[in-house]
Amino acid sequence: MRYMKEVLDSRELLANLTLREIRGQYKRTIFGQLWSLVNPLATMLVYTIVFAFILRVTPPPGNPSGLNIFAVWLLCGLLPWAFFANVVQTGMGSIIANAGLVQKVYFSRIVLPLSTVGSIGYNWLFEMGVLVLVLAICGSFVWPWIPLVIFVMVLLAIFASGLALMLSVANVRFRDTQYLVSIVMQIWMYLTPIIYPISLVEDQSRAHGGLFGTSITLMDIYRLNPLERFVAVFRQLLYDNTWPNPQDLLFCAVWAFAAIVVGVWVFRKSEKGLAEAL
Amino acid sequence: MSDIAVSVDHVSKRFRLYHERNQSLKSAIMRGRRSVHEDFWALKDVSFEVPTGSTFGLIGSNGSGKSTLLKCLAKIYFPQKGSITYNGKIAALLEVGSGFHPELSGRENVFLNGSILGMSKREITRKFDEIVDFSGVEQFIDQPVKNYSSGMYVRLGFAIAINVDPDVLVVDEVLSVGDAEFQEKCSQKFIDFKRAGKTVILVSHAMTAVQEMCDHAAWLRHGELVTVGEAEPTIAAYLDSLNRGETSAA
């Protein structure tokens, strides 16, 4: 509880550090904030050409929205993933990147990883705003779902923060963490139905049946991935325009809660030794 | 307000000197949880009290543990044994311009650096003019700090730090920033600070500065406290030991 108060007291510092990242990021560029859109758009273009045009992946059309555009379907999953991956990787390095500060000034260290969540979240919010406009232009009636989308965005941000907190202290002790995590993130992305529909995994799972003589199917294991649930919920809301599956939503909330509790606990335990270990 | 501003109670600080450190995951796993290390006690059972309103100097040769103690006081290191208790708000000035972002303007950096040092936004807004005035960079306050000369950079950093207005100020050897005129301003600020009944703890190698400013001092040698008390006899004893060549690292 006292820790909570300390963190709450540093909210101004958190806001200032977040602003530092946001303001500093696109300084001296001509296009400024627009650059934050370029990355996801370029990725979208590549994936759309490779997966929709060459490999002919066809996701099911939005139900009940009736949308059937691969690029938009892709973005509904890709933008949350990109945010998540970015937070985990940048947040992980945040303590090391600010080593000079940690060794010279006392402040609540937790603001460092959290400020990266804030600044990346700001870009994500901008991207999602553009996505909503695109969806609306394509004929999706997305407006009533926006509050729920924001709620799920917050859940994902909490989940990502939890992981970033754990990894940031691990990275101070073992610099291997950052290299390992970048590989894990790559694998993780392909283990999440972002560029292909989950129905393809379902087909394979059905074909194989229970694994090793048990009733556990490939699909059961596949769905343990928290990001699978998040992506599913985002697509249900944005692309299908329907209520999210309550079980999926509950899963997201549980994962987010578990990640942040463990993350804060781990961080708090190692916080005091950080200045020495750097 | 009690008479004691900071009380250092049996503080010991250990560092581990790793011979084969498990810095990579591989070596950690291969060797299990063990890593080969040797303990080095940078501070050994140091106790003293800093009276409120005093200017307290920490003196000693290189490697005597001054900086470690300072970092413990600044809550950057945490001692393995013992404790440090404070009366009132403490601010540490170990570096000027911590967290300055080179691309941001002086104005933005004042707010950033101020909040890192623990000031609230309202406080900074109130003191903003005073800070800018003290630093003497009014003309360039809206320019990115990367274009500042190194003198302007430290002056701005110092001006923010000195305006934090703590009850206890912990200062490393940062007094020697800027030109003679700016140094004069700094000493004046310290005198004002003292007059307001605030406590200053400072570490310095410049004995003349310590002699001039401090009324109390503590002398550390190899992590142990030699003497603590009135500044003059303590400094005299320290200088005396140097002259007699008692300390190896002069």
Side-chain angles (χ1 to χ4, degrees), chain B residues 11 13 15 40-44 46 48 58-73 77 203 205 219-225:
Chain B
V11 165
K13 174 72 196 163
F15 286 106
F40 170 74
W41 291 92
L43 290 175
K44 293 169 220 157
V46 173
F48 60 84
L58 287 175
I59 56 176
S61 311
N62 283 329
S64 58
K66 300 187 303 289
S67 294
T68 306
L69 180 57
L70 204 66
K71 284 196 169 180
C72 288
L73 286 167
Y77 291 164
V203 160
H205 280 295
W219 170 20
L220 290 171
R221 185 172 55 195
H222 304 311
E224 280 167 282
L225 188 69

PDB file of all heavy atoms in Angstrom, chain B residues 11 13 15 40-44 46 48 58-73 77 203 205 219-225:
ATOM      1  N   VAL B  11      26.191   2.208   9.940  1.00  0.00           N
ATOM      2  CA  VAL B  11      26.001   1.862   8.527  1.00  0.00           C
ATOM      3  C   VAL B  11      27.214   1.109   7.979  1.00  0.00           C
ATOM      4  O   VAL B  11      28.347   1.544   8.136  1.00  0.00           O
ATOM      5  CB  VAL B  11      25.743   3.133   7.692  1.00  0.00           C
ATOM      6  CG1 VAL B  11      25.912   2.851   6.212  1.00  0.00           C
ATOM      7  CG2 VAL B  11      24.345   3.652   7.971  1.00  0.00           C
ATOM      8  N   LYS B  13      28.345  -0.902   4.310  1.00  0.00           N
ATOM      9  CA  LYS B  13      27.954  -1.141   2.915  1.00  0.00           C
ATOM     10  C   LYS B  13      28.940  -2.094   2.273  1.00  0.00           C
ATOM     11  O   LYS B  13      30.139  -1.879   2.326  1.00  0.00           O
ATOM     12  CB  LYS B  13      27.942   0.187   2.153  1.00  0.00           C
ATOM     13  CG  LYS B  13      27.685   0.051   0.681  1.00  0.00           C
ATOM     14  CD  LYS B  13      26.262  -0.322   0.397  1.00  0.00           C
ATOM     15  CE  LYS B  13      26.096  -0.831  -1.025  1.00  0.00           C
ATOM     16  NZ  LYS B  13      24.847  -1.556  -1.195  1.00  0.00           N
ATOM     17  N   PHE B  15      30.211  -4.263  -1.053  1.00  0.00           N
ATOM     18  CA  PHE B  15      30.189  -4.475  -2.501  1.00  0.00           C
ATOM     19  C   PHE B  15      30.757  -5.846  -2.769  1.00  0.00           C
ATOM     20  O   PHE B  15      31.615  -6.317  -2.026  1.00  0.00           O
ATOM     21  CB  PHE B  15      31.034  -3.430  -3.231  1.00  0.00           C
ATOM     22  CG  PHE B  15      30.393  -2.093  -3.273  1.00  0.00           C
ATOM     23  CD1 PHE B  15      30.851  -1.071  -2.472  1.00  0.00           C
ATOM     24  CD2 PHE B  15      29.312  -1.863  -4.094  1.00  0.00           C
ATOM     25  CE1 PHE B  15      30.244   0.165  -2.495  1.00  0.00           C
ATOM     26  CE2 PHE B  15      28.700  -0.626  -4.127  1.00  0.00           C
ATOM     27  CZ  PHE B  15      29.171   0.382  -3.321  1.00  0.00           C
ATOM     28  N   PHE B  40      33.712  -6.832  -0.259  1.00  0.00           N
ATOM     29  CA  PHE B  40      34.509  -5.659   0.047  1.00  0.00           C
ATOM     30  C   PHE B  40      33.623  -4.691   0.799  1.00  0.00           C
ATOM     31  O   PHE B  40      32.573  -4.293   0.297  1.00  0.00           O
ATOM     32  CB  PHE B  40      35.044  -5.021  -1.247  1.00  0.00           C
ATOM     33  CG  PHE B  40      35.674  -3.683  -1.012  1.00  0.00           C
ATOM     34  CD1 PHE B  40      36.916  -3.599  -0.406  1.00  0.00           C
ATOM     35  CD2 PHE B  40      35.018  -2.514  -1.366  1.00  0.00           C
ATOM     36  CE1 PHE B  40      37.497  -2.368  -0.177  1.00  0.00           C
ATOM     37  CE2 PHE B  40      35.594  -1.278  -1.127  1.00  0.00           C
ATOM     38  CZ  PHE B  40      36.836  -1.212  -0.536  1.00  0.00           C
ATOM     39  N   TRP B  41      34.035  -4.361   2.006  1.00  0.00           N
ATOM     40  CA  TRP B  41      33.211  -3.438   2.799  1.00  0.00           C
ATOM     41  C   TRP B  41      33.701  -2.015   2.563  1.00  0.00           C
ATOM     42  O   TRP B  41      34.760  -1.639   3.036  1.00  0.00           O
ATOM     43  CB  TRP B  41      33.271  -3.807   4.276  1.00  0.00           C
ATOM     44  CG  TRP B  41      32.580  -5.104   4.534  1.00  0.00           C
ATOM     45  CD1 TRP B  41      33.145  -6.346   4.540  1.00  0.00           C
ATOM     46  CD2 TRP B  41      31.183  -5.301   4.778  1.00  0.00           C
ATOM     47  NE1 TRP B  41      32.188  -7.302   4.766  1.00  0.00           N
ATOM     48  CE2 TRP B  41      30.965  -6.698   4.929  1.00  0.00           C
ATOM     49  CE3 TRP B  41      30.078  -4.442   4.888  1.00  0.00           C
ATOM     50  CZ2 TRP B  41      29.709  -7.235   5.169  1.00  0.00           C
ATOM     51  CZ3 TRP B  41      28.826  -4.988   5.139  1.00  0.00           C
ATOM     52  CH2 TRP B  41      28.662  -6.372   5.270  1.00  0.00           C
ATOM     53  N   ALA B  42      32.917  -1.268   1.818  1.00  0.00           N
ATOM     54  CA  ALA B  42      33.289   0.111   1.505  1.00  0.00           C
ATOM     55  C   ALA B  42      33.029   1.019   2.698  1.00  0.00           C
ATOM     56  O   ALA B  42      33.682   2.040   2.858  1.00  0.00           O
ATOM     57  CB  ALA B  42      32.515   0.606   0.290  1.00  0.00           C
ATOM     58  N   LEU B  43      32.072   0.625   3.533  1.00  0.00           N
ATOM     59  CA  LEU B  43      31.798   1.360   4.756  1.00  0.00           C
ATOM     60  C   LEU B  43      31.695   0.354   5.884  1.00  0.00           C
ATOM     61  O   LEU B  43      31.044  -0.675   5.740  1.00  0.00           O
ATOM     62  CB  LEU B  43      30.471   2.119   4.653  1.00  0.00           C
ATOM     63  CG  LEU B  43      30.410   3.309   3.703  1.00  0.00           C
ATOM     64  CD1 LEU B  43      28.983   3.837   3.648  1.00  0.00           C
ATOM     65  CD2 LEU B  43      31.356   4.405   4.137  1.00  0.00           C
ATOM     66  N   LYS B  44      32.387   0.636   6.964  1.00  0.00           N
ATOM     67  CA  LYS B  44      32.360  -0.304   8.075  1.00  0.00           C
ATOM     68  C   LYS B  44      31.838   0.391   9.325  1.00  0.00           C
ATOM     69  O   LYS B  44      32.540   1.206   9.917  1.00  0.00           O
ATOM     70  CB  LYS B  44      33.770  -0.860   8.336  1.00  0.00           C
ATOM     71  CG  LYS B  44      34.283  -1.744   7.210  1.00  0.00           C
ATOM     72  CD  LYS B  44      35.764  -2.043   7.403  1.00  0.00           C
ATOM     73  CE  LYS B  44      36.481  -1.988   6.076  1.00  0.00           C
ATOM     74  NZ  LYS B  44      37.902  -1.726   6.195  1.00  0.00           N
ATOM     75  N   VAL B  46      29.769   2.795  10.302  1.00  0.00           N
ATOM     76  CA  VAL B  46      29.920   4.243  10.421  1.00  0.00           C
ATOM     77  C   VAL B  46      28.700   4.830  11.141  1.00  0.00           C
ATOM     78  O   VAL B  46      27.569   4.555  10.759  1.00  0.00           O
ATOM     79  CB  VAL B  46      30.069   4.894   9.027  1.00  0.00           C
ATOM     80  CG1 VAL B  46      30.066   6.406   9.134  1.00  0.00           C
ATOM     81  CG2 VAL B  46      31.331   4.397   8.347  1.00  0.00           C
ATOM     82  N   PHE B  48      27.329   8.576  12.874  1.00  0.00           N
ATOM     83  CA  PHE B  48      27.476   9.953  13.331  1.00  0.00           C
ATOM     84  C   PHE B  48      26.151  10.667  13.175  1.00  0.00           C
ATOM     85  O   PHE B  48      25.212  10.130  12.572  1.00  0.00           O
ATOM     86  CB  PHE B  48      28.606  10.690  12.586  1.00  0.00           C
ATOM     87  CG  PHE B  48      28.424  10.771  11.100  1.00  0.00           C
ATOM     88  CD1 PHE B  48      27.657  11.768  10.534  1.00  0.00           C
ATOM     89  CD2 PHE B  48      29.053   9.847  10.259  1.00  0.00           C
ATOM     90  CE1 PHE B  48      27.506  11.859   9.163  1.00  0.00           C
ATOM     91  CE2 PHE B  48      28.893   9.925   8.887  1.00  0.00           C
ATOM     92  CZ  PHE B  48      28.118  10.933   8.337  1.00  0.00           C
ATOM     93  N   LEU B  58      32.282  15.922   4.525  1.00  0.00           N
ATOM     94  CA  LEU B  58      32.828  14.569   4.577  1.00  0.00           C
ATOM     95  C   LEU B  58      34.192  14.624   3.909  1.00  0.00           C
ATOM     96  O   LEU B  58      34.292  14.985   2.740  1.00  0.00           O
ATOM     97  CB  LEU B  58      31.935  13.596   3.810  1.00  0.00           C
ATOM     98  CG  LEU B  58      30.601  13.206   4.432  1.00  0.00           C
ATOM     99  CD1 LEU B  58      29.816  12.345   3.455  1.00  0.00           C
ATOM    100  CD2 LEU B  58      30.832  12.454   5.725  1.00  0.00           C
ATOM    101  N   ILE B  59      35.233  14.295   4.677  1.00  0.00           N
ATOM    102  CA  ILE B  59      36.565  14.375   4.092  1.00  0.00           C
ATOM    103  C   ILE B  59      37.261  13.030   4.178  1.00  0.00           C
ATOM    104  O   ILE B  59      36.862  12.142   4.938  1.00  0.00           O
ATOM    105  CB  ILE B  59      37.418  15.473   4.767  1.00  0.00           C
ATOM    106  CG1 ILE B  59      37.491  15.245   6.275  1.00  0.00           C
ATOM    107  CG2 ILE B  59      36.878  16.850   4.446  1.00  0.00           C
ATOM    108  CD1 ILE B  59      38.399  16.233   6.977  1.00  0.00           C
ATOM    109  N   GLY B  60      38.293  12.891   3.393  1.00  0.00           N
ATOM    110  CA  GLY B  60      39.038  11.636   3.351  1.00  0.00           C
ATOM    111  C   GLY B  60      39.713  11.508   2.016  1.00  0.00           C
ATOM    112  O   GLY B  60      39.371  12.211   1.070  1.00  0.00           O
ATOM    113  N   SER B  61      40.656  10.575   1.944  1.00  0.00           N
ATOM    114  CA  SER B  61      41.392  10.404   0.698  1.00  0.00           C
ATOM    115  C   SER B  61      40.537   9.632  -0.304  1.00  0.00           C
ATOM    116  O   SER B  61      39.452   9.166   0.017  1.00  0.00           O
ATOM    117  CB  SER B  61      42.684   9.642   0.963  1.00  0.00           C
ATOM    118  OG  SER B  61      43.360  10.227   2.042  1.00  0.00           O
ATOM    119  N   ASN B  62      41.081   9.456  -1.498  1.00  0.00           N
ATOM    120  CA  ASN B  62      40.384   8.654  -2.499  1.00  0.00           C
ATOM    121  C   ASN B  62      40.174   7.235  -1.972  1.00  0.00           C
ATOM    122  O   ASN B  62      41.060   6.673  -1.337  1.00  0.00           O
ATOM    123  CB  ASN B  62      41.227   8.563  -3.783  1.00  0.00           C
ATOM    124  CG  ASN B  62      41.130   9.845  -4.572  1.00  0.00           C
ATOM    125  OD1 ASN B  62      40.105  10.515  -4.541  1.00  0.00           O
ATOM    126  ND2 ASN B  62      42.199  10.179  -5.262  1.00  0.00           N
ATOM    127  N   GLY B  63      39.019   6.688  -2.238  1.00  0.00           N
ATOM    128  CA  GLY B  63      38.754   5.312  -1.824  1.00  0.00           C
ATOM    129  C   GLY B  63      38.453   5.172  -0.349  1.00  0.00           C
ATOM    130  O   GLY B  63      38.470   4.074   0.194  1.00  0.00           O
ATOM    131  N   SER B  64      38.157   6.268   0.316  1.00  0.00           N
ATOM    132  CA  SER B  64      37.884   6.156   1.743  1.00  0.00           C
ATOM    133  C   SER B  64      36.417   5.862   2.026  1.00  0.00           C
ATOM    134  O   SER B  64      36.036   5.600   3.157  1.00  0.00           O
ATOM    135  CB  SER B  64      38.291   7.459   2.446  1.00  0.00           C
ATOM    136  OG  SER B  64      37.578   8.536   1.883  1.00  0.00           O
ATOM    137  N   GLY B  65      35.585   5.905   0.977  1.00  0.00           N
ATOM    138  CA  GLY B  65      34.174   5.601   1.174  1.00  0.00           C
ATOM    139  C   GLY B  65      33.271   6.818   1.239  1.00  0.00           C
ATOM    140  O   GLY B  65      32.090   6.683   1.528  1.00  0.00           O
ATOM    141  N   LYS B  66      33.830   7.996   0.969  1.00  0.00           N
ATOM    142  CA  LYS B  66      33.011   9.211   1.002  1.00  0.00           C
ATOM    143  C   LYS B  66      31.845   9.148   0.023  1.00  0.00           C
ATOM    144  O   LYS B  66      30.701   9.401   0.386  1.00  0.00           O
ATOM    145  CB  LYS B  66      33.845  10.450   0.617  1.00  0.00           C
ATOM    146  CG  LYS B  66      35.016  10.753   1.472  1.00  0.00           C
ATOM    147  CD  LYS B  66      35.628  12.078   1.063  1.00  0.00           C
ATOM    148  CE  LYS B  66      36.060  12.163  -0.394  1.00  0.00           C
ATOM    149  NZ  LYS B  66      37.227  11.387  -0.776  1.00  0.00           N
ATOM    150  N   SER B  67      32.196   8.795  -1.202  1.00  0.00           N
ATOM    151  CA  SER B  67      31.165   8.809  -2.227  1.00  0.00           C
ATOM    152  C   SER B  67      30.119   7.729  -1.983  1.00  0.00           C
ATOM    153  O   SER B  67      28.934   7.933  -2.231  1.00  0.00           O
ATOM    154  CB  SER B  67      31.779   8.615  -3.601  1.00  0.00           C
ATOM    155  OG  SER B  67      32.582   9.722  -3.892  1.00  0.00           O
ATOM    156  N   THR B  68      30.577   6.590  -1.463  1.00  0.00           N
ATOM    157  CA  THR B  68      29.627   5.529  -1.137  1.00  0.00           C
ATOM    158  C   THR B  68      28.665   6.005  -0.062  1.00  0.00           C
ATOM    159  O   THR B  68      27.451   5.806  -0.167  1.00  0.00           O
ATOM    160  CB  THR B  68      30.384   4.281  -0.653  1.00  0.00           C
ATOM    161  OG1 THR B  68      31.344   3.938  -1.628  1.00  0.00           O
ATOM    162  CG2 THR B  68      29.440   3.131  -0.418  1.00  0.00           C
ATOM    163  N   LEU B  69      29.225   6.663   0.938  1.00  0.00           N
ATOM    164  CA  LEU B  69      28.375   7.171   2.010  1.00  0.00           C
ATOM    165  C   LEU B  69      27.399   8.207   1.466  1.00  0.00           C
ATOM    166  O   LEU B  69      26.214   8.223   1.817  1.00  0.00           O
ATOM    167  CB  LEU B  69      29.252   7.781   3.115  1.00  0.00           C
ATOM    168  CG  LEU B  69      28.502   8.367   4.317  1.00  0.00           C
ATOM    169  CD1 LEU B  69      27.607   7.305   4.943  1.00  0.00           C
ATOM    170  CD2 LEU B  69      29.470   8.898   5.347  1.00  0.00           C
ATOM    171  N   LEU B  70      27.909   9.037   0.580  1.00  0.00           N
ATOM    172  CA  LEU B  70      27.061  10.061  -0.018  1.00  0.00           C
ATOM    173  C   LEU B  70      25.910   9.416  -0.791  1.00  0.00           C
ATOM    174  O   LEU B  70      24.762   9.865  -0.708  1.00  0.00           O
ATOM    175  CB  LEU B  70      27.908  10.915  -0.961  1.00  0.00           C
ATOM    176  CG  LEU B  70      27.396  12.312  -1.234  1.00  0.00           C
ATOM    177  CD1 LEU B  70      27.453  13.133   0.024  1.00  0.00           C
ATOM    178  CD2 LEU B  70      28.206  12.960  -2.323  1.00  0.00           C
ATOM    179  N   LYS B  71      26.232   8.359  -1.524  1.00  0.00           N
ATOM    180  CA  LYS B  71      25.188   7.678  -2.285  1.00  0.00           C
ATOM    181  C   LYS B  71      24.193   6.975  -1.366  1.00  0.00           C
ATOM    182  O   LYS B  71      23.023   6.845  -1.705  1.00  0.00           O
ATOM    183  CB  LYS B  71      25.801   6.691  -3.277  1.00  0.00           C
ATOM    184  CG  LYS B  71      26.392   7.411  -4.476  1.00  0.00           C
ATOM    185  CD  LYS B  71      26.650   6.484  -5.630  1.00  0.00           C
ATOM    186  CE  LYS B  71      26.981   7.297  -6.875  1.00  0.00           C
ATOM    187  NZ  LYS B  71      27.244   6.449  -8.040  1.00  0.00           N
ATOM    188  N   CYS B  72      24.682   6.521  -0.218  1.00  0.00           N
ATOM    189  CA  CYS B  72      23.753   5.939   0.761  1.00  0.00           C
ATOM    190  C   CYS B  72      22.827   7.030   1.296  1.00  0.00           C
ATOM    191  O   CYS B  72      21.629   6.824   1.451  1.00  0.00           O
ATOM    192  CB  CYS B  72      24.507   5.284   1.909  1.00  0.00           C
ATOM    193  SG  CYS B  72      25.329   3.764   1.441  1.00  0.00           S
ATOM    194  N   LEU B  73      23.425   8.195   1.571  1.00  0.00           N
ATOM    195  CA  LEU B  73      22.621   9.316   2.068  1.00  0.00           C
ATOM    196  C   LEU B  73      21.591   9.739   1.028  1.00  0.00           C
ATOM    197  O   LEU B  73      20.487  10.144   1.363  1.00  0.00           O
ATOM    198  CB  LEU B  73      23.525  10.507   2.405  1.00  0.00           C
ATOM    199  CG  LEU B  73      24.364  10.399   3.668  1.00  0.00           C
ATOM    200  CD1 LEU B  73      25.410  11.487   3.704  1.00  0.00           C
ATOM    201  CD2 LEU B  73      23.481  10.475   4.903  1.00  0.00           C
ATOM    202  N   TYR B  77      22.246   4.019  -3.030  1.00  0.00           N
ATOM    203  CA  TYR B  77      22.670   2.725  -2.495  1.00  0.00           C
ATOM    204  C   TYR B  77      21.924   2.490  -1.187  1.00  0.00           C
ATOM    205  O   TYR B  77      21.558   3.431  -0.497  1.00  0.00           O
ATOM    206  CB  TYR B  77      24.169   2.711  -2.203  1.00  0.00           C
ATOM    207  CG  TYR B  77      25.058   2.741  -3.417  1.00  0.00           C
ATOM    208  CD1 TYR B  77      26.399   3.071  -3.289  1.00  0.00           C
ATOM    209  CD2 TYR B  77      24.567   2.424  -4.681  1.00  0.00           C
ATOM    210  CE1 TYR B  77      27.237   3.103  -4.395  1.00  0.00           C
ATOM    211  CE2 TYR B  77      25.391   2.451  -5.781  1.00  0.00           C
ATOM    212  CZ  TYR B  77      26.723   2.796  -5.644  1.00  0.00           C
ATOM    213  OH  TYR B  77      27.546   2.827  -6.716  1.00  0.00           O
ATOM    214  N   VAL B 203      30.726  16.807   0.145  1.00  0.00           N
ATOM    215  CA  VAL B 203      31.956  16.044  -0.003  1.00  0.00           C
ATOM    216  C   VAL B 203      32.878  16.854  -0.881  1.00  0.00           C
ATOM    217  O   VAL B 203      32.467  17.351  -1.917  1.00  0.00           O
ATOM    218  CB  VAL B 203      31.659  14.705  -0.697  1.00  0.00           C
ATOM    219  CG1 VAL B 203      32.920  14.124  -1.293  1.00  0.00           C
ATOM    220  CG2 VAL B 203      31.082  13.724   0.292  1.00  0.00           C
ATOM    221  N   HIS B 205      37.277  17.527  -2.031  1.00  0.00           N
ATOM    222  CA  HIS B 205      38.710  17.344  -1.843  1.00  0.00           C
ATOM    223  C   HIS B 205      39.381  18.684  -1.582  1.00  0.00           C
ATOM    224  O   HIS B 205      40.504  18.729  -1.112  1.00  0.00           O
ATOM    225  CB  HIS B 205      39.333  16.712  -3.095  1.00  0.00           C
ATOM    226  CG  HIS B 205      39.130  15.244  -3.148  1.00  0.00           C
ATOM    227  ND1 HIS B 205      39.691  14.389  -2.240  1.00  0.00           N
ATOM    228  CD2 HIS B 205      38.399  14.469  -3.986  1.00  0.00           C
ATOM    229  CE1 HIS B 205      39.329  13.151  -2.533  1.00  0.00           C
ATOM    230  NE2 HIS B 205      38.537  13.179  -3.583  1.00  0.00           N
ATOM    231  N   TRP B 219      35.688  12.512   9.164  1.00  0.00           N
ATOM    232  CA  TRP B 219      36.850  12.058   8.409  1.00  0.00           C
ATOM    233  C   TRP B 219      36.760  10.552   8.276  1.00  0.00           C
ATOM    234  O   TRP B 219      36.674   9.835   9.266  1.00  0.00           O
ATOM    235  CB  TRP B 219      38.109  12.515   9.158  1.00  0.00           C
ATOM    236  CG  TRP B 219      39.394  11.937   8.644  1.00  0.00           C
ATOM    237  CD1 TRP B 219      39.632  11.378   7.425  1.00  0.00           C
ATOM    238  CD2 TRP B 219      40.625  11.848   9.368  1.00  0.00           C
ATOM    239  NE1 TRP B 219      40.919  10.968   7.325  1.00  0.00           N
ATOM    240  CE2 TRP B 219      41.567  11.246   8.496  1.00  0.00           C
ATOM    241  CE3 TRP B 219      41.030  12.248  10.649  1.00  0.00           C
ATOM    242  CZ2 TRP B 219      42.892  10.999   8.886  1.00  0.00           C
ATOM    243  CZ3 TRP B 219      42.335  12.015  11.026  1.00  0.00           C
ATOM    244  CH2 TRP B 219      43.259  11.394  10.141  1.00  0.00           C
ATOM    245  N   LEU B 220      36.788  10.108   7.040  1.00  0.00           N
ATOM    246  CA  LEU B 220      36.707   8.679   6.767  1.00  0.00           C
ATOM    247  C   LEU B 220      38.051   8.175   6.240  1.00  0.00           C
ATOM    248  O   LEU B 220      38.716   8.870   5.479  1.00  0.00           O
ATOM    249  CB  LEU B 220      35.646   8.391   5.697  1.00  0.00           C
ATOM    250  CG  LEU B 220      34.180   8.584   6.056  1.00  0.00           C
ATOM    251  CD1 LEU B 220      33.330   8.461   4.807  1.00  0.00           C
ATOM    252  CD2 LEU B 220      33.735   7.547   7.069  1.00  0.00           C
ATOM    253  N   ARG B 221      38.406   6.969   6.681  1.00  0.00           N
ATOM    254  CA  ARG B 221      39.606   6.333   6.126  1.00  0.00           C
ATOM    255  C   ARG B 221      39.337   4.855   5.941  1.00  0.00           C
ATOM    256  O   ARG B 221      38.956   4.169   6.897  1.00  0.00           O
ATOM    257  CB  ARG B 221      40.799   6.554   7.054  1.00  0.00           C
ATOM    258  CG  ARG B 221      42.087   6.004   6.448  1.00  0.00           C
ATOM    259  CD  ARG B 221      43.292   6.399   7.259  1.00  0.00           C
ATOM    260  NE  ARG B 221      43.143   5.989   8.650  1.00  0.00           N
ATOM    261  CZ  ARG B 221      43.915   6.453   9.639  1.00  0.00           C
ATOM    262  NH1 ARG B 221      44.825   7.346   9.394  1.00  0.00           N
ATOM    263  NH2 ARG B 221      43.729   6.034  10.869  1.00  0.00           N
ATOM    264  N   HIS B 222      39.514   4.366   4.733  1.00  0.00           N
ATOM    265  CA  HIS B 222      39.262   2.958   4.391  1.00  0.00           C
ATOM    266  C   HIS B 222      37.909   2.478   4.894  1.00  0.00           C
ATOM    267  O   HIS B 222      37.794   1.394   5.461  1.00  0.00           O
ATOM    268  CB  HIS B 222      40.366   2.048   4.939  1.00  0.00           C
ATOM    269  CG  HIS B 222      41.728   2.445   4.481  1.00  0.00           C
ATOM    270  ND1 HIS B 222      42.019   2.695   3.158  1.00  0.00           N
ATOM    271  CD2 HIS B 222      42.880   2.664   5.167  1.00  0.00           C
ATOM    272  CE1 HIS B 222      43.289   3.031   3.050  1.00  0.00           C
ATOM    273  NE2 HIS B 222      43.834   3.035   4.253  1.00  0.00           N
ATOM    274  N   GLY B 223      36.919   3.310   4.721  1.00  0.00           N
ATOM    275  CA  GLY B 223      35.565   2.900   5.080  1.00  0.00           C
ATOM    276  C   GLY B 223      35.251   3.026   6.553  1.00  0.00           C
ATOM    277  O   GLY B 223      34.155   2.697   6.977  1.00  0.00           O
ATOM    278  N   GLU B 224      36.215   3.464   7.340  1.00  0.00           N
ATOM    279  CA  GLU B 224      35.933   3.603   8.766  1.00  0.00           C
ATOM    280  C   GLU B 224      35.963   5.075   9.165  1.00  0.00           C
ATOM    281  O   GLU B 224      36.730   5.867   8.603  1.00  0.00           O
ATOM    282  CB  GLU B 224      36.964   2.824   9.579  1.00  0.00           C
ATOM    283  CG  GLU B 224      36.644   1.349   9.612  1.00  0.00           C
ATOM    284  CD  GLU B 224      37.801   0.531  10.146  1.00  0.00           C
ATOM    285  OE1 GLU B 224      38.750   0.306   9.392  1.00  0.00           O
ATOM    286  OE2 GLU B 224      37.737   0.126  11.311  1.00  0.00           O
ATOM    287  N   LEU B 225      35.173   5.376  10.149  1.00  0.00           N
ATOM    288  CA  LEU B 225      35.125   6.744  10.626  1.00  0.00           C
ATOM    289  C   LEU B 225      36.304   6.975  11.562  1.00  0.00           C
ATOM    290  O   LEU B 225      36.524   6.213  12.508  1.00  0.00           O
ATOM    291  CB  LEU B 225      33.809   6.956  11.380  1.00  0.00           C
ATOM    292  CG  LEU B 225      33.495   8.376  11.801  1.00  0.00           C
ATOM    293  CD1 LEU B 225      33.195   9.235  10.602  1.00  0.00           C
ATOM    294  CD2 LEU B 225      32.318   8.363  12.753  1.00  0.00           C
TER     295      LEU B 225
END
